[in-house]
Amino acid sequence: MKHICRAALVLAAAAVIASCSNKKFNVTGQIENAKDSLLYFEHVGLEGIDVVDSVKLGDSGSFSFSEEAPDAPEFYRLRISDQIINVAIDSTETVTFRSSWPQMASKYEVEGSENCEKIKELTLQLMDLRERAIAISQNDQLSIDEANDSLLAIITQYKNDVKTKYIFPTPGKSYAYFALFQTLGDMLLFNPRNNKDDIKVFAAVATSWDTYYPHAERGQNLHNIAIEGMKNQRIVEAKENQTIEASRVQEAGVLDIELTDNKGQVRHLTDLKGKVVLLDFHVFAMDESPARILTLRELYNKYHAQGFEVFQVSLDSDEHFWKQQTAALPWISVLDPNGIQSQIISMYNIQAVPDFFLIDRDNNLVKRAAQIKDLDTEIKKLL
C-alpha cells in the first residue's frame, strides 16, 4: 500500500509539473464581414515575422488562437491582407478582439489586456500623425523650409506626448516597448542612433526590462541599442569637440551617469570599471538618511580595499545642505541638480528613494534593491 501511495504521489507531482509547463494564452474574437478571408496570427520577433497559425473565417468571423505562454512579454499580430492589429502578450491571459472588414486595423475593440488597449491608442494616434504629415507635405502653400519645420513640430509634439503618457510613467509595460519602435514612413520616431534624447527613452525601458525580465532577449536587445547609441553620441561629441580620439570611446554595459561631485570634479559612473559598485540614489533630507549612511559606511569600510566603491547620486534640492552632509563621506557623492525631475531617474526607472543597484567589475548592472535579500552576501559574490 505504501508503494502504491508513493507512486500515486509521483504521478500527481508529474501531472502538476506537466500542467505548469503547458501554460497557454488565448487570442479570440470576431472579424465581421470577412467571410472566407484568411486570418493570420503572426509572431513579431526580433529577427522577423513568422506565421504561428491561421484560420479561414466563416459567416460569423469568429476565431480563436491558443499558444504557449512566453516567459517575458512578447508581440504578435492579427492580419488579413495589409490590415493589422498588434497584440502584446505578458502571460496566460485571454485577449478578445472585435472588428469588421475592411477597417479592421483602425476600428476594433479589445478586452482583457491593458497593454493591448494602450497599443490601440498608440496605433490610432500614429495614424493621425501620418495623416497630418501627408497633409503638410501636400500643402502647396508651404515652402520646403516651412513644410519641414511644420513636420518637425508635429513629430516633436507627438514624441513628447508618447514619452510623458506611455513610456516614462511605466517603462516596464509592453506598450512602452511597443512605442519605441513606431515609424513614420521608414523613419523611426525614436532613433537612439542619432538623437541624444531618444537614447534616454530607450535607456529607461531597457533598465526596467533589465530589472523585471533579466534574461529576456528583447531586454538585452534594448540594452544594446541604448549602449550603442551612447557610444555613437560620444564619438560625435569627440569629433565635434576634438578633445578625445574616437578610438578611445568604449562601449559600457551600464548606462553612464555624468555629474559633479562635492569637490567640484565631474565624475562618470563608467570610469569605475574594474570595481564592484553600489549605485545609490539618495536624499539626505529624509529622516532615515543617517541610519542608511551608517549602513553604507560599514559596507564601504569592510570591502573598499577589495575593490568595492559607492557612487551615490543625491536628489536633494539644497546644494549647500548636500555639501555639508557629504563633506566627510569617503565615497563618490554627486548631486543631480534636476532632483526628482531628473532624466537619470527615468533612465534607471527609480520609483522611490532610497534605491540602489549593484554593478559588477565589467560595468554590468547585476541587480537592484528589490532583487537583493542580503546586500553583504551579494557584494562578496561580485568581489
Side-chain angles (χ1 to χ4, degrees):
M1 179 64 71
K2 290 182 180 179
H3 292 298
I4 294 174
C5 291
R6 189 173 301 159
L9 287 172
V10 170
L11 290 173
V16 170
I17 293 172
S19 65
C20 290
S21 63
N22 292 320
K23 292 180 179 179
K24 300 282 187 178
F25 70 86
N26 303 289
V27 176
T28 65
Q30 184 180 30
I31 310 294
E32 296 180 346
N33 304 322
K35 181 182 178 182
D36 295 331
S37 296
L38 195 59
L39 175 66
Y40 291 95
F41 184 56
E42 299 172 326
H43 175 234
V44 183
L46 292 174
E47 302 298 327
I49 299 171
D50 300 308
V51 176
V52 178
D53 202 350
S54 63
V55 63
K56 186 175 182 179
L57 298 177
D59 293 335
S60 68
S62 297
F63 63 88
S64 180
F65 299 112
S66 181
E67 296 295 329
E68 185 175 345
D71 294 328
E74 269 301 335
F75 296 87
Y76 301 84
R77 67 183 199 178
L78 296 165
R79 180 178 65 84
I80 298 178
S81 186
D82 61 348
Q83 291 285 298
I84 293 169
I85 296 176
N86 289 292
V87 184
I89 297 296
D90 282 349
S91 58
T92 58
E93 67 242 84
T94 294
V95 190
T96 302
F97 295 89
R98 293 184 179 85
S99 189
S100 61
W101 186 261
Q103 294 178 308
M104 165 182 151
S106 58
K107 295 184 179 180
Y108 69 89
E109 298 177 357
V110 57
E111 297 176 359
S113 170
E114 179 197 14
N115 280 304
C116 290
E117 290 175 0
K118 296 294 186 182
I119 285 175
K120 175 187 174 182
E121 292 177 13
L122 286 163
T123 300
L124 295 179
Q125 290 172 27
L126 182 61
M127 288 180 180
D128 177 68
L129 176 66
R130 286 171 178 164
E131 290 177 1
R132 287 187 290 145
I134 291 171
I136 290 172
S137 64
Q138 294 178 346
N139 188 342
D140 295 333
Q141 304 300 314
L142 298 175
S143 67
I144 293 177
D145 288 341
E146 289 173 336
N148 288 337
D149 288 344
S150 297
L151 283 171
L152 179 60
I154 64 171
I155 291 171
T156 300
Q157 182 60 55
Y158 181 85
K159 289 173 63 176
N160 287 336
D161 287 345
V162 171
K163 283 190 290 188
T164 57
K165 295 177 182 178
Y166 296 93
I167 298 179
F168 284 154
T170 52
K173 293 288 188 179
S174 297
Y175 58 79
Y177 180 104
F178 176 85
L180 294 179
F181 297 98
Q182 287 190 299
T183 60
L184 188 62
D186 295 329
M187 178 187 73
L188 267 175
L189 290 175
F190 293 99
N191 190 345
R193 290 177 174 82
N194 59 23
N195 187 303
K196 191 172 185 178
D197 290 333
D198 290 351
I199 295 172
K200 297 175 183 177
V201 181
F202 266 78
V205 180
T207 302
S208 189
W209 278 60
D210 280 347
T211 300
Y212 297 109
Y213 314 108
H215 304 297
E217 187 177 2
R218 287 186 184 276
Q220 186 60 51
N221 183 58
L222 280 180
H223 192 97
N224 291 340
I225 290 173
I227 294 298
E228 184 66 23
M230 293 166 64
K231 175 184 175 182
N232 292 341
Q233 189 64 36
R234 290 174 191 163
I235 292 173
V236 171
E237 291 174 352
K239 289 180 178 178
E240 290 176 348
N241 297 328
Q242 296 183 345
T243 55
I244 57 175
E245 297 178 9
S247 61
R248 295 181 61 190
V249 178
Q250 296 183 351
E251 183 172 328
V254 69
L255 304 171
D256 194 23
I257 295 175
E258 178 186 352
L259 291 171
T260 303
D261 69 12
N262 51 358
K263 298 177 179 62
Q265 180 181 351
V266 176
R267 308 300 293 261
H268 287 266
L269 175 62
T270 50
D271 286 345
L272 298 177
K273 187 173 183 179
K275 296 180 180 292
V276 172
V277 180
L278 188 147
L279 171 60
D280 187 59
F281 291 88
H282 191 78
V283 173
F284 284 89
M286 296 187 304
D287 292 339
E288 59 268 34
S289 175
R292 180 172 173 76
I293 294 301
L294 284 175
T295 300
L296 290 180
R297 271 187 177 276
E298 291 178 6
L299 291 170
Y300 186 88
N301 292 339
K302 187 175 181 179
Y303 295 115
H304 179 63
Q306 300 176 44
F308 175 67
E309 186 57 80
V310 175
F311 191 98
Q312 189 167 54
V313 180
S314 169
L315 304 174
D316 288 271
S317 58
D318 187 333
E319 182 177 358
H320 179 69
F321 172 77
W322 163 73
K323 285 185 176 180
Q324 286 183 322
Q325 296 298 310
T326 61
L329 297 181
W331 54 74
I332 298 171
S333 298
V334 296
L335 177 69
D336 191 328
N338 296 311
I340 60 173
Q341 303 299 324
S342 168
Q343 289 286 348
I344 294 173
I345 291 179
S346 298
M347 285 171 55
Y348 276 87
N349 190 28
I350 303 299
Q351 303 296 322
V353 288
D355 201 354
F356 65 86
F357 298 81
L358 277 181
I359 299 168
D360 68 16
R361 293 183 186 273
D362 293 321
N363 264 177
N364 295 309
L365 189 151
V366 178
K367 290 183 178 181
R368 75 181 302 161
Q371 298 171 301
I372 297 174
K373 294 182 179 179
D374 187 333
L375 180 56
D376 191 286
T377 299
E378 294 294 339
I379 292 173
K380 282 193 289 187
K381 287 180 183 178
L382 296 176
L383 290 171

